[in-house]
Amino acid sequence: MNSPKINIKPFGVHSVLIEWPNEVSEIILEKILHFERFLTKEVFTNKEWELVPSYNSLLIINRTKQLDFQKLSSDIHKWYLQLKESPKPDRYLWRLPVSYDLEFGLDLEEVASQLHKTKEEIIALHTGATYTVFGIGFLPGFMYLGGIDKKLEMPRKATPRSRVVKGAVGIAGKQAGIYPQESPGGWNIIGNCAVPIFDASKENPCFVSVGDKIEFYKISKAEHDLCKIEAEVGIYKPEKIKIDA
Amino acid sequence: MLKVLKAGFYTTIQDAGRFHYRNKGVPVSGVMDEISVFKVNSLLENEESAAVLEITMTGPTLIFEKETYMALGGAKMSATLNNLPIQNYKVYMINKGDILSFGRLEKGFRSYLAVKGGFTSKQVLGSRSFYQPITKYNRLTDNDAVPFAVQEDFQPKISEIKVASFLDDSVLEVNKAPEFDILTDKQLEEIFSRTFTVAHENNRMAYQLSETIQAHTISMLTSATIPGTVQLTPAGKLIVLMKDGQTTGGYPRAVQLTDRAICILAQKKGGDIISFKLV
């Protein structure tokens, strides 16, 4: 596979940013994660380093040392050129239940009316796609999901809500997402997912990683309530399927 | 235990920060002014990562429920121990029942209270730093009790240090951030040739600046940010991300504050004046 070109930029004295072409692409994301894995295992093994992938970039931070940008930059180019295909890490498809009950889907009717569709058609479009996690940020456990059906694309709300509840399932432009906690937010809310995406009491607080896939399936309000109870007592296990590399 | 009699404006527990969860969207948090905290911790011969209280603007009233040693640093807040004035960067021996309180904010914005051995509240994801919802609370409230380690026969090697204060500094040294090179000459000139006023919208997540510079229509994909990143909004506002700042953002990252500049800004409040200098 030909490697897409990278561009390395200074970002203060403790970090450098590696950028790939400015596009949302599975191939680029795969390359970023592949390189991240290599760097984490072979180069930046010390606890001082942290790597943050997102869409078309990979940030490399060293929290204690001042970095020599020229030297690090030329090393990164060298490592990238030498990058070999390696066994892919485990990636998962997570199937998450969503209640589209109007109690949760605050904007569902508005979205349907704007897009000239029925509520059922909106739900079918939302549950019919497989989303890719292109980044996690904004809030702990907030996933930037790409892969929304073009027919569901709708701008974010003109006036953001000051309070969006935990688990709110939203769409905005080319993105889908779930609010992992209560927060202000401007996305169109069409349902709620009771599965806790982020749990600070767990050693791995967020079961999803950048590069994983997400699918939504529809459940009733009663099933949603049950899922919420199971999640609260800690027995809910999200459905996962290993993605074949 | 240290018991909170009156909470003050905004008092939190902070340590060096929460590392290795940025790829899950978790801010680093930790003390805003690392320089001052490093000094109070070293005065008490604590580890660098020992947790302290970060006291913002209006201080709390606190009662020590057991013996220890303490030191204050950072902002000057007219602190008293049992109603007697005390100084920053000096070790005080504490008896059970001693009351620490704060008065008028004289200089700076955030004061730090360290005790021998550090505060030993619960760690969440490897850090004691408050950040809701990672931690249950975002600040201390009346009647809270904060545990600290018992230390017997501590003999401070140095009981007091003179500290070159940077509380009056207003020049923030910066380096290039990823979108620096696509800013216009006018934007760069505006950033580096004028002063800016710290807006009243400022907290542990971000400091906004009141003045605007030339607007832009740069569109970019969401990408990583770190504390000290200065973002430029489409309307031309500058936002400086601080320790609780989000881990990714979609606005151009113009410049990056040095570690020292983060500490200087952390001691500023709404209405204060700052300027940027490229190093």
Side-chain angles (χ1 to χ4, degrees):
Chain A
M1 175 180 144
N2 276 336
S3 291
K5 254 184 80 94
I6 55 170
N7 189 14
I8 302 172
K9 293 176 170 178
F11 193 169
V13 296
H14 292 297
S15 50
V16 296
L17 188 76
I18 312 175
E19 281 186 340
W20 278 260
N22 188 27
E23 53 190 272
V24 178
S25 136
E26 297 267 342
I27 294 165
I28 287 173
L29 184 66
E30 190 54 51
K31 199 74 197 177
I32 294 173
L33 296 173
H34 184 187
F35 195 36
E36 180 199 20
R37 195 158 64 243
F38 165 80
L39 294 175
T40 311
K41 283 199 171 149
E42 307 290 333
V43 187
F44 304 123
T45 49
N46 182 313
K47 279 277 185 196
E48 288 170 4
W49 297 91
E50 266 192 85
L51 279 70
V52 188
S54 173
Y55 283 102
N56 70 328
S57 65
L58 179 63
L59 178 71
I60 297 173
I61 315 172
N62 182 301
R63 63 185 168 96
T64 50
K65 265 207 295 272
Q66 293 219 356
L67 303 175
D68 177 343
F69 176 74
Q70 296 307 337
K71 162 119 184 32
L72 186 57
S73 167
S74 89
D75 283 345
I76 289 170
H77 276 295
K78 195 178 67 197
W79 294 322
Y80 187 65
L81 286 174
Q82 291 166 353
L83 188 62
K84 294 194 179 63
E85 290 302 322
S86 60
K88 294 193 176 177
D90 291 346
R91 290 278 164 215
Y92 295 99
L93 164 68
W94 302 92
R95 298 195 70 243
L96 301 176
V98 175
S99 168
Y100 296 90
D101 190 279
L102 289 181
E103 179 189 332
F104 309 119
L106 305 176
D107 300 316
L108 185 55
E109 288 185 314
E110 174 66 21
V111 169
S113 133
Q114 291 266 332
L115 299 175
H116 309 292
K117 300 211 174 337
T118 64
K119 282 181 289 183
E120 288 66 33
E121 286 170 327
I122 299 293
I123 296 166
L125 287 170
H126 189 249
T127 53
T130 300
Y131 302 89
T132 301
V133 182
F134 278 98
I136 299 180
F138 168 53
L139 296 170
F142 186 90
M143 305 177 279
Y144 290 93
L145 300 179
I148 199 165
D149 192 300
K150 275 204 165 357
K151 295 194 271 302
L152 254 192
E153 283 181 19
M154 184 159 151
R156 59 188 65 207
K157 294 175 76 67
T159 314
R161 288 190 169 89
S162 59
R163 178 176 172 268
V164 171
V165 299
K166 179 178 175 177
V169 170
I171 54 172
K174 293 182 190 306
Q175 293 182 322
I178 303 172
Y179 286 86
Q181 70 203 52
E182 190 183 304
S183 113
W187 291 25
N188 304 289
I189 305 303
I190 60 170
N192 193 279
C193 174
V195 177
I197 305 298
F198 193 94
D199 182 349
S201 70
K202 296 210 165 110
E203 200 179 325
N204 176 13
C206 178
F207 56 84
V208 182
S209 296
V210 175
D212 281 358
K213 306 239 182 219
I214 302 284
E215 276 177 9
F216 297 113
Y217 64 96
K218 182 188 170 185
I219 56 168
S220 67
K221 182 167 183 314
E223 290 169 308
H224 181 271
D225 292 344
L226 180 65
C227 170
K228 197 168 176 180
I229 294 166
E230 288 179 350
E232 271 161 16
V233 296
I235 58 170
Y236 186 87
K237 291 247 185 312
E239 187 185 334
K240 68 172 177 181
I241 299 159
K242 202 170 157 191
I243 299 169
D244 282 332
Chain B
M1 288 286 183
L2 176 72
K3 201 167 167 200
V4 179
L5 297 177
K6 272 199 302 200
F9 171 65
Y10 200 90
T11 301
T12 63
I13 300 171
Q14 298 292 340
D15 58 17
R18 189 167 278 115
F19 304 105
H20 301 289
Y21 296 99
R22 298 186 71 79
N23 60 354
K24 303 287 187 181
V26 181
V28 62
S29 298
V31 297
M32 291 275 276
D33 171 0
E34 289 176 351
I35 295 175
S36 299
V37 173
F38 179 80
K39 284 174 183 150
V40 282
N41 269 334
S42 58
L43 197 50
L44 291 167
E45 295 160 43
N46 286 343
E47 285 178 21
E48 227 176 286
S49 59
V52 297
L53 292 196
E54 181 174 278
I55 295 161
T56 306
M57 194 167 74
T58 308
T61 304
L62 306 161
I63 180 163
F64 290 89
E65 295 189 329
K66 64 183 177 192
E67 299 77 40
T68 184
Y69 291 81
M70 62 149 267
L72 291 174
K76 291 182 182 168
M77 292 190 180
S78 322
T80 60
L81 189 60
N82 301 325
N83 289 319
L84 296 171
I86 57 169
Q87 304 164 27
N88 279 359
Y89 304 107
K90 183 170 177 177
V91 178
Y92 291 91
M93 195 174 85
I94 295 294
N95 293 308
K96 189 178 167 190
D98 282 357
I99 291 180
L100 175 66
S101 57
F102 295 82
R104 195 170 58 85
L105 178 66
E106 289 174 40
K107 199 175 269 192
F109 196 47
R110 293 168 214 274
S111 178
Y112 291 93
L113 167 64
V115 293
K116 178 63 195 157
F119 292 100
T120 53
S121 54
K122 196 172 154 239
Q123 289 196 347
V124 187
L125 300 180
S127 167
R128 297 186 165 92
S129 295
F130 276 20
Y131 173 77
Q132 221 174 10
I134 302 294
T135 54
K136 203 168 170 191
Y137 305 103
N138 64 352
R139 68 175 103 172
L140 294 174
T141 53
D142 293 359
N143 298 316
D144 279 350
V146 188
F148 55 84
V150 183
Q151 287 292 330
E152 282 155 20
D153 35 279
F154 169 59
Q155 292 288 332
K157 290 192 188 80
I158 301 163
S159 63
E160 192 175 344
I161 45 173
K162 274 259 182 289
V163 168
S165 173
F166 56 83
L167 297 177
D168 289 324
D169 291 7
S170 62
V171 179
L172 305 181
E173 292 192 332
V174 297
N175 295 101
K176 288 184 182 182
E179 279 69 52
F180 183 90
D181 288 331
I182 57 171
L183 299 183
T184 63
D185 289 347
K186 180 153 196 291
Q187 284 165 336
L188 291 173
E189 199 238 300
E190 286 185 292
I191 290 175
F192 295 115
S193 69
R194 59 188 290 179
T195 59
F196 292 90
T197 314
V198 172
H200 289 282
E201 294 79 31
N202 70 77
N203 54 38
R204 289 186 41 87
M205 292 173 105
Y207 269 56
Q208 295 195 30
L209 303 180
S210 300
E211 295 79 2
T212 52
I213 65 167
Q214 187 186 40
H216 70 84
T217 54
I218 299 165
S219 155
M220 54 175 272
L221 291 166
T222 291
S223 183
T225 53
I226 49 180
T229 302
V230 182
Q231 294 183 307
L232 178 59
T233 72
K237 276 217 160 210
L238 295 171
I239 300 176
V240 191
L241 296 179
M242 295 298 269
K243 292 297 187 84
D244 286 346
Q246 58 190 67
T247 54
T248 60
Y251 292 140
R253 296 153 291 189
V255 292
Q256 175 65 36
L257 265 58
T258 61
D259 293 349
R260 183 180 172 85
I262 292 175
C263 298
I264 293 171
L265 186 60
Q267 292 294 357
K268 299 292 177 230
K269 55 187 184 303
D272 287 351
I273 304 293
I274 56 107
S275 63
F276 295 105
K277 183 183 168 201
L278 189 65
V279 291

